[in-house]
Amino acid sequence: MGAESLRNRLEEARKTLYERLDRGEDPTPFYNEAVWPLLLALWREDPPVRPRFQPYEVSIHTVGTSPEATILAILGTGAGRVYLLHTEESQRYLERIQRETGREAYPIRVDKSDVTLIYKTVAELLGRHRGARVALDLTSGTKAMTSGLAAAAFFLQRIHPEVQVVYVDNEGYDPRLRRPIPGTEYLVRLPNPHEVLGDVDEHLARSFYREGEFKKASAYFYETAKKTGQEGFRLYGHLAKVYHSWKDLDFPKAKKDLETLLRDLDRDAHLNHPLNARRKDLEAQQKGLSAILALLEKKDLSDKEGVAWLAATLLAGYEGAKGHLPLAALYAYRALELLLQHLAAGMGLDLEAPRPTPEEEEALKATLKALLPTEGEIRIPERFGLLHLLAYLKAKDHPAFRHLDPKRLQGLQGALRARNKALLIHGLEGPKEGDVDQVARLARELLKGLGVEAKAEPIPL
Amino acid sequence: MGAESLRNRLEEARKTLYERLDRGEDPTPFYNEAVWPLLLALWREDPPVRPRFQPYEVSIHTVGTSPEATILAILGTGAGRVYLLHTEESQRYLERIQRETGREAYPIRVDKSDVTLIYKTVAELLGRHRGARVALDLTSGTKAMTSGLAAAAFFLQRIHPEVQVVYVDNEGYDPRLRRPIPGTEYLVRLPNPHEVLGDVDEHLARSFYREGEFKKASAYFYETAKKTGQEGFRLYGHLAKVYHSWKDLDFPKAKKDLETLLRDLDRDAHLNHPLNARRKDLEAQQKGLSAILALLEKKDLSDKEGVAWLAATLLAGYEGAKGHLPLAALYAYRALELLLQHLAAGMGLDLEAPRPTPEEEEALKATLKALLPTEGEIRIPERFGLLHLLAYLKAKDHPAFRHLDPKRLQGLQGALRARNKALLIHGLEGPKEGDVDQVARLARELLKGLGVEAKAEPIPL
């Protein structure tokens, strides 16, 4: 019998069913004897699947107290391998399901109220059929079973993208029958809300951003924008890209990306974007990046603006690398060195070839002698390292060091000399946390003393 | 009327219901007129909630074609603010639900087949009631509605831990009634399968591990162990901790943690742990860490084993820092320097105070002159940097450099001299990718030439 003829006969049977219902009769016997066989024949002949019938390799079904729903789902998914997650109560339907679908099925016993067991079972089955097109059907079963299956499916699609969630929907449900109106059933695929809403991606993007993993953050923000179609997320992606390049000391790229972001924020569509509330900070950072680029181009260490922003960048790197001491040390030492170079240049020292006057040299030697009482002969090197820069500024009575506690100076001396012995520089020593803290503290004080408002930290989202 | 008396009357009504059903009558009218009012009165008096009745501040319910289920859920959650997510079809039940529960409710219209809309609506409501104890009830509604609610609830619990999922379960379902057996209903809380199975945490742990974020990886592995009660995950947590310390050049801690891990793997309970299949590699790494510690303690750069493992560590750091050029550069340069120091020490050079013989000095100057044809006078510094070490080995006709392409040597010369100008060292230049690649390539070749099997990379999970 063709599908068209079956549909006509089903229509007739449905009318009879409603007549009996109107007479106050229990509709179940007639449904079972006359309506269901036609519905079954129709689904075996031409299963109504939206958008189209496309057989799966594997299907997994929760079986509750509506075996009919599962039978239709099996016929609609058309899989070669069928798993039935059934309960103690629904075990009795297994024979009928296999007979009426004409398919052998693998029964797996679960508990009707154990959402976790369902989830675990599904995860195991997906692991067993990795790469196969799998349909997860949640038409039948208790709400606990459905929710376990749904949670598993929608989350595990991240790992098994070839898995799809399907169910038998209908165009009308009859509360008197407590069933769909016969003949209005069809199989559909459920979209993954995580994918449509991009919420998992957004969550990951924000987590990575908070943790300073800007490359990953930007990738997830772009993904969120793609999935949701919301352009606003792209701008967060741009921002994360800016900080990625900045953190990597790729200042030209950071500046270019920040300018793109600022231009995008100017567009009508984005006037209400939350980042526009931080526009002033972003513009200040843009100016900061320009100042750094000018410093790097002209290599003029007396450039206060450029030095302040570069030192702030290095100190932000120090903050970001906390918990990774060797890296944190690098940033802190370099920040301090840069600031000392700047101050010394301001006192007239030629950093490339320091030529102190005889009086300066004498004062410098005296300061060094005080710092290194156990050292023998004090020699002035060709180029000044951290310790010599510090001693030079102290000897010149620079205001930043005039009131520095001698004990602190003594401690700094050890910390400064440790730099070159570090494993990542030339030596075999690990940096000491106390040394690095001291160095960073002094760098922060000197930066503050410059009086430039330089905030190189990523703005919080 | 007390709860006990209500329960007795319900028992009576249920008997009558089944007698009518046995006579082939439609059970619905009697259920509505006699059974339901008693069930409702019982839930208003003493709602059967497991483990105990504990009112929520807010409850959110999907309303399908079983208003009775929603009514019981509202009485069981006892929230002050009630949201009803209803469909076009179930709108007609809103008035009855509010009347029979005696509570005002906020209706929100959704689509019965739109899983994404449900998810989004729930996410918005949770955002509006941040911090409140919220019950998400998935008893009623279509499977699409349930699965949207479940996916939202179980995922969003990561952000809103105070949210709980509840539903009205029963001790027996009657397929003839197509309802739970009256009086066996009770409200329960559904555990979050993600939490119980720790699958999201495990997924995050493995992702962070793959990406070299070992601190976060170990935290998530420990969390997974805690949630699942599976000790095996703790061992992965230990392993991630080992690599975290190793990456941070904290070798004593890495070694100690690796020894703890190896001891744990020896315990009966863990004999089948997948890491036991990698035991040989782990033991080799333990020996490698010991070799590094011996090198750092004795500071004897002719120690081949120690140098090989430390250089391998630095090269693993280089690999891990790829995409972060300034850091990758640091690791690559230091690895090469260490290997050159080792080879030079092997040729008899005193690294602390190089005193080449007159013949050696002449050969060294000639080699340097060939490398730096445009340089004026060639001076030999007090301590050898990268370039001088390389020239020294070349001048001594060390086999590793005998057949090195002169063009490559020329390129290396530029790369080596760039090191000190780097922004993170003493200068204002960014490292060039080509330079760093060359340096890393030579370091890898020299390491291979040592003939020590040193694998400092994290073993893949």
Side-chain angles (χ1 to χ4, degrees), chain A residues 112-113 119 169-170 199 213 248 323 330 334 419 423 425 427, chain B residues 112-113 119 169-170 199 213 248 323 330 334 337 419 423 425 427:
Chain A
K112 82 179 172 91
S113 307
Y119 188 120
D169 201 350
N170 59 71
D199 64 335
E213 292 287 328
D248 260 10
L330 279 171
R334 184 64 187 113
R419 185 191 193 192
L423 196 51
I425 306 291
Chain B
K112 82 181 171 89
S113 307
Y119 188 120
D169 201 350
N170 59 72
D199 64 334
E213 292 287 328
D248 259 10
L330 279 170
R334 184 63 186 112
E337 187 183 48
R419 185 191 192 192
L423 197 51
I425 306 291

PDB file of all heavy atoms in Angstrom, chain A residues 112-113 119 169-170 199 213 248 323 330 334 419 423 425 427, chain B residues 112-113 119 169-170 199 213 248 323 330 334 337 419 423 425 427:
ATOM      1  N   LYS A 112      15.186   4.951  35.803  1.00  0.00           N
ATOM      2  CA  LYS A 112      14.367   6.020  35.234  1.00  0.00           C
ATOM      3  C   LYS A 112      14.617   7.367  35.885  1.00  0.00           C
ATOM      4  O   LYS A 112      14.300   8.404  35.320  1.00  0.00           O
ATOM      5  CB  LYS A 112      12.878   5.656  35.309  1.00  0.00           C
ATOM      6  CG  LYS A 112      12.210   5.919  36.659  1.00  0.00           C
ATOM      7  CD  LYS A 112      10.743   5.541  36.616  1.00  0.00           C
ATOM      8  CE  LYS A 112      10.113   5.600  37.989  1.00  0.00           C
ATOM      9  NZ  LYS A 112       9.511   6.884  38.321  1.00  0.00           N
ATOM     10  N   SER A 113      15.181   7.380  37.098  1.00  0.00           N
ATOM     11  CA  SER A 113      15.378   8.647  37.793  1.00  0.00           C
ATOM     12  C   SER A 113      16.849   9.028  37.901  1.00  0.00           C
ATOM     13  O   SER A 113      17.185  10.027  38.520  1.00  0.00           O
ATOM     14  CB  SER A 113      14.784   8.572  39.204  1.00  0.00           C
ATOM     15  OG  SER A 113      13.449   8.148  39.137  1.00  0.00           O
ATOM     16  N   TYR A 119      23.562   9.794  31.434  1.00  0.00           N
ATOM     17  CA  TYR A 119      24.622  10.625  30.858  1.00  0.00           C
ATOM     18  C   TYR A 119      25.871   9.777  30.602  1.00  0.00           C
ATOM     19  O   TYR A 119      26.466   9.807  29.531  1.00  0.00           O
ATOM     20  CB  TYR A 119      24.931  11.747  31.845  1.00  0.00           C
ATOM     21  CG  TYR A 119      25.862  12.825  31.342  1.00  0.00           C
ATOM     22  CD1 TYR A 119      25.438  14.145  31.272  1.00  0.00           C
ATOM     23  CD2 TYR A 119      27.167  12.542  30.959  1.00  0.00           C
ATOM     24  CE1 TYR A 119      26.288  15.144  30.835  1.00  0.00           C
ATOM     25  CE2 TYR A 119      28.015  13.536  30.516  1.00  0.00           C
ATOM     26  CZ  TYR A 119      27.575  14.832  30.458  1.00  0.00           C
ATOM     27  OH  TYR A 119      28.418  15.815  30.025  1.00  0.00           O
ATOM     28  N   ASP A 169       8.396  15.173  17.149  1.00  0.00           N
ATOM     29  CA  ASP A 169       7.535  16.290  17.519  1.00  0.00           C
ATOM     30  C   ASP A 169       6.170  16.059  16.853  1.00  0.00           C
ATOM     31  O   ASP A 169       5.964  15.057  16.166  1.00  0.00           O
ATOM     32  CB  ASP A 169       8.173  17.598  17.020  1.00  0.00           C
ATOM     33  CG  ASP A 169       7.651  18.819  17.775  1.00  0.00           C
ATOM     34  OD1 ASP A 169       6.666  18.682  18.538  1.00  0.00           O
ATOM     35  OD2 ASP A 169       8.221  19.906  17.598  1.00  0.00           O
ATOM     36  N   ASN A 170       5.238  16.970  17.071  1.00  0.00           N
ATOM     37  CA  ASN A 170       3.929  16.821  16.431  1.00  0.00           C
ATOM     38  C   ASN A 170       3.316  18.185  16.210  1.00  0.00           C
ATOM     39  O   ASN A 170       3.727  19.172  16.820  1.00  0.00           O
ATOM     40  CB  ASN A 170       3.014  15.960  17.300  1.00  0.00           C
ATOM     41  CG  ASN A 170       2.836  16.584  18.668  1.00  0.00           C
ATOM     42  OD1 ASN A 170       2.171  17.603  18.820  1.00  0.00           O
ATOM     43  ND2 ASN A 170       3.479  16.000  19.684  1.00  0.00           N
ATOM     44  N   ASP A 199      27.092  30.309  24.176  1.00  0.00           N
ATOM     45  CA  ASP A 199      27.347  30.656  25.579  1.00  0.00           C
ATOM     46  C   ASP A 199      28.585  29.969  26.134  1.00  0.00           C
ATOM     47  O   ASP A 199      29.323  30.555  26.915  1.00  0.00           O
ATOM     48  CB  ASP A 199      26.121  30.361  26.447  1.00  0.00           C
ATOM     49  CG  ASP A 199      25.792  28.887  26.483  1.00  0.00           C
ATOM     50  OD1 ASP A 199      26.155  28.179  25.521  1.00  0.00           O
ATOM     51  OD2 ASP A 199      25.194  28.432  27.457  1.00  0.00           O
ATOM     52  N   GLU A 213      45.146  34.949  28.756  1.00  0.00           N
ATOM     53  CA  GLU A 213      45.399  34.127  27.564  1.00  0.00           C
ATOM     54  C   GLU A 213      44.655  34.770  26.398  1.00  0.00           C
ATOM     55  O   GLU A 213      43.606  34.301  25.959  1.00  0.00           O
ATOM     56  CB  GLU A 213      44.886  32.707  27.801  1.00  0.00           C
ATOM     57  CG  GLU A 213      45.660  31.941  28.837  1.00  0.00           C
ATOM     58  CD  GLU A 213      47.026  31.534  28.310  1.00  0.00           C
ATOM     59  OE1 GLU A 213      47.151  31.284  27.102  1.00  0.00           O
ATOM     60  OE2 GLU A 213      47.972  31.501  29.109  1.00  0.00           O
ATOM     61  N   ASP A 248      53.047  40.461  23.828  1.00  0.00           N
ATOM     62  CA  ASP A 248      54.174  39.890  23.096  1.00  0.00           C
ATOM     63  C   ASP A 248      55.140  40.954  22.624  1.00  0.00           C
ATOM     64  O   ASP A 248      56.044  40.654  21.840  1.00  0.00           O
ATOM     65  CB  ASP A 248      53.646  39.133  21.878  1.00  0.00           C
ATOM     66  CG  ASP A 248      53.610  37.656  22.155  1.00  0.00           C
ATOM     67  OD1 ASP A 248      53.816  37.286  23.322  1.00  0.00           O
ATOM     68  OD2 ASP A 248      53.396  36.888  21.210  1.00  0.00           O
ATOM     69  N   GLY A 323      53.666  33.735  39.504  1.00  0.00           N
ATOM     70  CA  GLY A 323      53.463  32.287  39.548  1.00  0.00           C
ATOM     71  C   GLY A 323      54.410  31.608  38.576  1.00  0.00           C
ATOM     72  O   GLY A 323      54.563  30.406  38.598  1.00  0.00           O
ATOM     73  N   LEU A 330      62.399  38.351  34.701  1.00  0.00           N
ATOM     74  CA  LEU A 330      62.859  39.027  33.493  1.00  0.00           C
ATOM     75  C   LEU A 330      62.194  40.381  33.329  1.00  0.00           C
ATOM     76  O   LEU A 330      62.841  41.391  33.063  1.00  0.00           O
ATOM     77  CB  LEU A 330      62.480  38.187  32.269  1.00  0.00           C
ATOM     78  CG  LEU A 330      63.384  37.036  31.931  1.00  0.00           C
ATOM     79  CD1 LEU A 330      62.739  36.201  30.851  1.00  0.00           C
ATOM     80  CD2 LEU A 330      64.719  37.584  31.453  1.00  0.00           C
ATOM     81  N   ARG A 334      64.014  44.063  33.768  1.00  0.00           N
ATOM     82  CA  ARG A 334      64.125  44.930  32.592  1.00  0.00           C
ATOM     83  C   ARG A 334      63.394  46.253  32.823  1.00  0.00           C
ATOM     84  O   ARG A 334      63.846  47.310  32.385  1.00  0.00           O
ATOM     85  CB  ARG A 334      63.574  44.207  31.360  1.00  0.00           C
ATOM     86  CG  ARG A 334      63.724  44.990  30.070  1.00  0.00           C
ATOM     87  CD  ARG A 334      65.183  45.222  29.699  1.00  0.00           C
ATOM     88  NE  ARG A 334      65.314  46.108  28.542  1.00  0.00           N
ATOM     89  CZ  ARG A 334      65.830  47.336  28.587  1.00  0.00           C
ATOM     90  NH1 ARG A 334      66.280  47.824  29.728  1.00  0.00           N
ATOM     91  NH2 ARG A 334      65.902  48.068  27.497  1.00  0.00           N
ATOM     92  N   ARG A 419      71.010  39.155  38.734  1.00  0.00           N
ATOM     93  CA  ARG A 419      70.340  39.068  37.438  1.00  0.00           C
ATOM     94  C   ARG A 419      71.076  38.215  36.416  1.00  0.00           C
ATOM     95  O   ARG A 419      70.492  37.327  35.798  1.00  0.00           O
ATOM     96  CB  ARG A 419      70.140  40.467  36.864  1.00  0.00           C
ATOM     97  CG  ARG A 419      69.325  40.436  35.575  1.00  0.00           C
ATOM     98  CD  ARG A 419      69.370  41.776  34.869  1.00  0.00           C
ATOM     99  NE  ARG A 419      68.369  41.848  33.820  1.00  0.00           N
ATOM    100  CZ  ARG A 419      68.351  42.815  32.914  1.00  0.00           C
ATOM    101  NH1 ARG A 419      69.240  43.789  32.965  1.00  0.00           N
ATOM    102  NH2 ARG A 419      67.439  42.815  31.974  1.00  0.00           N
ATOM    103  N   LEU A 423      69.222  31.572  35.370  1.00  0.00           N
ATOM    104  CA  LEU A 423      69.238  30.465  34.424  1.00  0.00           C
ATOM    105  C   LEU A 423      68.830  30.905  33.028  1.00  0.00           C
ATOM    106  O   LEU A 423      69.357  30.410  32.032  1.00  0.00           O
ATOM    107  CB  LEU A 423      68.280  29.385  34.939  1.00  0.00           C
ATOM    108  CG  LEU A 423      68.394  28.001  34.347  1.00  0.00           C
ATOM    109  CD1 LEU A 423      69.815  27.506  34.394  1.00  0.00           C
ATOM    110  CD2 LEU A 423      67.495  27.060  35.105  1.00  0.00           C
ATOM    111  N   ILE A 425      69.243  33.858  31.782  1.00  0.00           N
ATOM    112  CA  ILE A 425      70.144  34.883  31.232  1.00  0.00           C
ATOM    113  C   ILE A 425      71.472  34.212  30.885  1.00  0.00           C
ATOM    114  O   ILE A 425      71.642  33.736  29.773  1.00  0.00           O
ATOM    115  CB  ILE A 425      70.317  36.057  32.216  1.00  0.00           C
ATOM    116  CG1 ILE A 425      68.939  36.608  32.619  1.00  0.00           C
ATOM    117  CG2 ILE A 425      71.167  37.166  31.602  1.00  0.00           C
ATOM    118  CD1 ILE A 425      68.183  37.329  31.530  1.00  0.00           C
ATOM    119  N   GLY A 427      73.359  32.316  33.599  1.00  0.00           N
ATOM    120  CA  GLY A 427      73.877  31.487  34.687  1.00  0.00           C
ATOM    121  C   GLY A 427      73.088  30.223  34.942  1.00  0.00           C
ATOM    122  O   GLY A 427      72.366  29.719  34.079  1.00  0.00           O
TER     123      GLY A 427
ATOM    124  N   LYS B 112       7.024  25.592  21.640  1.00  0.00           N
ATOM    125  CA  LYS B 112       7.169  24.246  22.201  1.00  0.00           C
ATOM    126  C   LYS B 112       8.308  23.456  21.572  1.00  0.00           C
ATOM    127  O   LYS B 112       8.785  22.490  22.140  1.00  0.00           O
ATOM    128  CB  LYS B 112       5.856  23.463  22.077  1.00  0.00           C
ATOM    129  CG  LYS B 112       5.601  22.816  20.722  1.00  0.00           C
ATOM    130  CD  LYS B 112       4.272  22.089  20.715  1.00  0.00           C
ATOM    131  CE  LYS B 112       3.891  21.614  19.336  1.00  0.00           C
ATOM    132  NZ  LYS B 112       4.386  20.281  18.994  1.00  0.00           N
ATOM    133  N   SER B 113       8.747  23.873  20.370  1.00  0.00           N
ATOM    134  CA  SER B 113       9.798  23.111  19.694  1.00  0.00           C
ATOM    135  C   SER B 113      11.118  23.864  19.634  1.00  0.00           C
ATOM    136  O   SER B 113      12.070  23.397  19.033  1.00  0.00           O
ATOM    137  CB  SER B 113       9.359  22.767  18.267  1.00  0.00           C
ATOM    138  OG  SER B 113       8.108  22.128  18.292  1.00  0.00           O
ATOM    139  N   TYR B 119      16.292  27.928  26.316  1.00  0.00           N
ATOM    140  CA  TYR B 119      17.610  28.070  26.935  1.00  0.00           C
ATOM    141  C   TYR B 119      17.901  29.548  27.215  1.00  0.00           C
ATOM    142  O   TYR B 119      18.304  29.933  28.312  1.00  0.00           O
ATOM    143  CB  TYR B 119      18.651  27.497  25.969  1.00  0.00           C
ATOM    144  CG  TYR B 119      20.052  27.374  26.514  1.00  0.00           C
ATOM    145  CD1 TYR B 119      20.671  26.133  26.589  1.00  0.00           C
ATOM    146  CD2 TYR B 119      20.772  28.480  26.935  1.00  0.00           C
ATOM    147  CE1 TYR B 119      21.961  26.002  27.062  1.00  0.00           C
ATOM    148  CE2 TYR B 119      22.062  28.364  27.416  1.00  0.00           C
ATOM    149  CZ  TYR B 119      22.651  27.128  27.475  1.00  0.00           C
ATOM    150  OH  TYR B 119      23.930  27.010  27.946  1.00  0.00           O
ATOM    151  N   ASP B 169       8.770  13.318  40.239  1.00  0.00           N
ATOM    152  CA  ASP B 169       8.943  11.919  39.853  1.00  0.00           C
ATOM    153  C   ASP B 169       7.796  11.119  40.480  1.00  0.00           C
ATOM    154  O   ASP B 169       6.933  11.684  41.160  1.00  0.00           O
ATOM    155  CB  ASP B 169      10.301  11.426  40.380  1.00  0.00           C
ATOM    156  CG  ASP B 169      10.798  10.191  39.626  1.00  0.00           C
ATOM    157  OD1 ASP B 169      10.028   9.619  38.839  1.00  0.00           O
ATOM    158  OD2 ASP B 169      11.962   9.811  39.843  1.00  0.00           O
ATOM    159  N   ASN B 170       7.765   9.828  40.241  1.00  0.00           N
ATOM    160  CA  ASN B 170       6.716   9.011  40.848  1.00  0.00           C
ATOM    161  C   ASN B 170       7.230   7.608  41.067  1.00  0.00           C
ATOM    162  O   ASN B 170       8.229   7.202  40.481  1.00  0.00           O
ATOM    163  CB  ASN B 170       5.486   8.988  39.940  1.00  0.00           C
ATOM    164  CG  ASN B 170       5.842   8.432  38.578  1.00  0.00           C
ATOM    165  OD1 ASN B 170       6.080   7.231  38.428  1.00  0.00           O
ATOM    166  ND2 ASN B 170       5.926   9.300  37.580  1.00  0.00           N
ATOM    167  N   ASP B 199      32.852  15.602  33.986  1.00  0.00           N
ATOM    168  CA  ASP B 199      33.322  15.537  32.599  1.00  0.00           C
ATOM    169  C   ASP B 199      33.758  16.892  32.070  1.00  0.00           C
ATOM    170  O   ASP B 199      34.712  16.987  31.313  1.00  0.00           O
ATOM    171  CB  ASP B 199      32.264  14.904  31.691  1.00  0.00           C
ATOM    172  CG  ASP B 199      31.013  15.742  31.612  1.00  0.00           C
ATOM    173  OD1 ASP B 199      30.747  16.488  32.571  1.00  0.00           O
ATOM    174  OD2 ASP B 199      30.303  15.656  30.604  1.00  0.00           O
ATOM    175  N   GLU B 213      49.249  24.648  29.965  1.00  0.00           N
ATOM    176  CA  GLU B 213      48.848  25.413  31.151  1.00  0.00           C
ATOM    177  C   GLU B 213      48.720  24.426  32.310  1.00  0.00           C
ATOM    178  O   GLU B 213      47.622  24.053  32.721  1.00  0.00           O
ATOM    179  CB  GLU B 213      47.506  26.100  30.888  1.00  0.00           C
ATOM    180  CG  GLU B 213      47.573  27.185  29.859  1.00  0.00           C
ATOM    181  CD  GLU B 213      48.284  28.410  30.407  1.00  0.00           C
ATOM    182  OE1 GLU B 213      48.181  28.661  31.626  1.00  0.00           O
ATOM    183  OE2 GLU B 213      48.965  29.086  29.620  1.00  0.00           O
ATOM    184  N   ASP B 248      58.675  25.990  35.096  1.00  0.00           N
ATOM    185  CA  ASP B 248      59.086  27.175  35.849  1.00  0.00           C
ATOM    186  C   ASP B 248      60.518  27.056  36.347  1.00  0.00           C
ATOM    187  O   ASP B 248      60.958  27.877  37.146  1.00  0.00           O
ATOM    188  CB  ASP B 248      58.161  27.360  37.051  1.00  0.00           C
ATOM    189  CG  ASP B 248      57.138  28.421  36.766  1.00  0.00           C
ATOM    190  OD1 ASP B 248      57.053  28.835  35.597  1.00  0.00           O
ATOM    191  OD2 ASP B 248      56.445  28.838  37.699  1.00  0.00           O
ATOM    192  N   GLY B 323      54.729  31.407  19.415  1.00  0.00           N
ATOM    193  CA  GLY B 323      53.593  32.320  19.363  1.00  0.00           C
ATOM    194  C   GLY B 323      53.810  33.458  20.347  1.00  0.00           C
ATOM    195  O   GLY B 323      53.103  34.446  20.327  1.00  0.00           O
ATOM    196  N   LEU B 330      64.206  33.963  24.359  1.00  0.00           N
ATOM    197  CA  LEU B 330      64.992  33.771  25.574  1.00  0.00           C
ATOM    198  C   LEU B 330      65.426  32.330  25.747  1.00  0.00           C
ATOM    199  O   LEU B 330      66.579  32.030  26.025  1.00  0.00           O
ATOM    200  CB  LEU B 330      64.138  34.129  26.792  1.00  0.00           C
ATOM    201  CG  LEU B 330      64.006  35.584  27.139  1.00  0.00           C
ATOM    202  CD1 LEU B 330      62.952  35.739  28.200  1.00  0.00           C
ATOM    203  CD2 LEU B 330      65.356  36.083  27.638  1.00  0.00           C
ATOM    204  N   ARG B 334      69.276  30.882  25.342  1.00  0.00           N
ATOM    205  CA  ARG B 334      69.931  30.319  26.517  1.00  0.00           C
ATOM    206  C   ARG B 334      70.304  28.851  26.292  1.00  0.00           C
ATOM    207  O   ARG B 334      71.348  28.387  26.745  1.00  0.00           O
ATOM    208  CB  ARG B 334      69.018  30.469  27.742  1.00  0.00           C
ATOM    209  CG  ARG B 334      69.655  29.989  29.033  1.00  0.00           C
ATOM    210  CD  ARG B 334      70.886  30.808  29.418  1.00  0.00           C
ATOM    211  NE  ARG B 334      71.576  30.250  30.580  1.00  0.00           N
ATOM    212  CZ  ARG B 334      72.787  29.694  30.545  1.00  0.00           C
ATOM    213  NH1 ARG B 334      73.461  29.639  29.411  1.00  0.00           N
ATOM    214  NH2 ARG B 334      73.337  29.211  31.643  1.00  0.00           N
ATOM    215  N   GLU B 337      73.446  28.880  24.212  1.00  0.00           N
ATOM    216  CA  GLU B 337      74.591  29.326  25.004  1.00  0.00           C
ATOM    217  C   GLU B 337      75.095  28.204  25.908  1.00  0.00           C
ATOM    218  O   GLU B 337      76.293  27.935  25.998  1.00  0.00           O
ATOM    219  CB  GLU B 337      74.192  30.544  25.839  1.00  0.00           C
ATOM    220  CG  GLU B 337      75.366  31.180  26.574  1.00  0.00           C
ATOM    221  CD  GLU B 337      74.918  32.343  27.457  1.00  0.00           C
ATOM    222  OE1 GLU B 337      73.930  32.174  28.210  1.00  0.00           O
ATOM    223  OE2 GLU B 337      75.540  33.401  27.383  1.00  0.00           O
ATOM    224  N   ARG B 419      71.092  39.264  20.411  1.00  0.00           N
ATOM    225  CA  ARG B 419      70.524  38.862  21.695  1.00  0.00           C
ATOM    226  C   ARG B 419      70.472  39.982  22.728  1.00  0.00           C
ATOM    227  O   ARG B 419      69.432  40.226  23.336  1.00  0.00           O
ATOM    228  CB  ARG B 419      71.325  37.700  22.284  1.00  0.00           C
ATOM    229  CG  ARG B 419      70.694  37.161  23.559  1.00  0.00           C
ATOM    230  CD  ARG B 419      71.633  36.207  24.261  1.00  0.00           C
ATOM    231  NE  ARG B 419      70.957  35.466  25.307  1.00  0.00           N
ATOM    232  CZ  ARG B 419      71.592  34.738  26.210  1.00  0.00           C
ATOM    233  NH1 ARG B 419      72.907  34.640  26.172  1.00  0.00           N
ATOM    234  NH2 ARG B 419      70.930  34.109  27.149  1.00  0.00           N
ATOM    235  N   LEU B 423      64.560  43.575  23.731  1.00  0.00           N
ATOM    236  CA  LEU B 423      63.813  44.389  24.677  1.00  0.00           C
ATOM    237  C   LEU B 423      63.797  43.782  26.072  1.00  0.00           C
ATOM    238  O   LEU B 423      63.836  44.499  27.068  1.00  0.00           O
ATOM    239  CB  LEU B 423      62.378  44.524  24.147  1.00  0.00           C
ATOM    240  CG  LEU B 423      61.518  45.621  24.735  1.00  0.00           C
ATOM    241  CD1 LEU B 423      62.229  46.949  24.705  1.00  0.00           C
ATOM    242  CD2 LEU B 423      60.227  45.710  23.957  1.00  0.00           C
ATOM    243  N   ILE B 425      66.105  41.902  27.332  1.00  0.00           N
ATOM    244  CA  ILE B 425      67.458  41.759  27.893  1.00  0.00           C
ATOM    245  C   ILE B 425      67.970  43.160  28.257  1.00  0.00           C
ATOM    246  O   ILE B 425      67.749  43.617  29.371  1.00  0.00           O
ATOM    247  CB  ILE B 425      68.399  41.031  26.909  1.00  0.00           C
ATOM    248  CG1 ILE B 425      67.771  39.688  26.493  1.00  0.00           C
ATOM    249  CG2 ILE B 425      69.768  40.796  27.535  1.00  0.00           C
ATOM    250  CD1 ILE B 425      67.701  38.630  27.575  1.00  0.00           C
ATOM    251  N   GLY B 427      68.086  45.842  25.555  1.00  0.00           N
ATOM    252  CA  GLY B 427      67.908  46.808  24.475  1.00  0.00           C
ATOM    253  C   GLY B 427      66.472  47.194  24.205  1.00  0.00           C
ATOM    254  O   GLY B 427      65.595  47.062  25.060  1.00  0.00           O
TER     255      GLY B 427
END
